[in-house]
Amino acid sequence: MREEIYTELIMEHYKRPRNFGKISKPDTIYSDANPLCGDEIKVYVKFSGKKINEIKFTGHGCAISQASASMITEFVKGKNFEFVKNLSKDDVLKLLGIELSPMRLKCALLPLKAVKMAVYSHLSKDQK
Ligand code: FES
């Protein structure tokens, strides 16, 4: 099946994920899991004003979820809230560079949801 053949880029991010680890004293942390497989991701973010200054993740999962987390965290570093808010499924697919089955799409979107929720939870803290 075409979507099961991962590109070198995906495998490279899976084996050497960028931004893997924790941030000491993050402004916000958000954890999420894929209920279908139990894989988990935890996102740590430090902000500088409205920008993402530092972002890291921990957790475990399949090649797609880990590569997606690595690519998304690279992509949003230094960007502002608005940029993260507007990130879509298509942006993630573009980063990964392949089409995905609905099953695999859930894997790819798990980190996107976690990153967005981390940003939103920080925003809602700010408004309190
Ligand atoms: Fe669990 Fe992909 S199989 S996130």
Side-chain angles (χ1 to χ4, degrees):
M1 252 197 290
R2 187 164 58 138
E3 67 266 18
E4 301 302 333
I5 301 168
Y6 301 148
T7 62
E8 255 176 58
L9 182 68
I10 289 175
M11 290 315 291
E12 207 269 320
H13 274 267
Y14 175 54
K15 287 181 191 155
R16 287 193 325 108
R18 317 312 187 256
N19 310 309
F20 191 85
K22 295 177 184 173
I23 293 176
S24 70
K25 298 194 189 141
D27 293 313
T28 190
I29 300 176
Y30 188 84
S31 310
D32 209 343
N34 182 342
L36 299 175
C37 60
D39 290 345
E40 292 171 346
I41 182 161
K42 196 177 220 179
V43 174
Y44 307 75
V45 190
K46 212 165 193 156
F47 297 90
S48 166
K50 289 187 170 182
K51 280 193 180 162
I52 293 182
N53 194 31
E54 214 183 336
I55 181 163
K56 289 192 179 246
F57 73 98
T58 56
H60 58 91
C62 62
I64 291 289
S65 71
Q66 299 300 290
S68 172
S70 171
M71 290 175 184
I72 292 170
T73 51
E74 275 294 275
F75 198 51
V76 302
K77 217 188 281 174
K79 304 288 194 326
N80 62 23
F81 296 157
E82 209 54 29
F83 182 87
V84 174
K85 203 176 109 193
N86 291 325
L87 273 183
S88 68
K89 171 186 93 176
D90 290 341
D91 294 318
V92 176
L93 290 176
K94 229 180 269 172
L95 287 173
L96 289 166
I98 54 169
E99 282 175 36
L100 296 171
S101 63
M103 250 330 229
R104 287 298 176 197
L105 194 58
K106 279 204 186 322
C107 306
L109 297 182
L110 175 66
L112 178 66
K113 189 180 160 214
V115 167
K116 280 184 180 251
M117 290 307 291
V119 169
Y120 295 158
S121 69
H122 180 67
L123 279 176
S124 68
K125 259 191 277 172
D126 253 15
Q127 283 162 4
K128 279 178 192 163

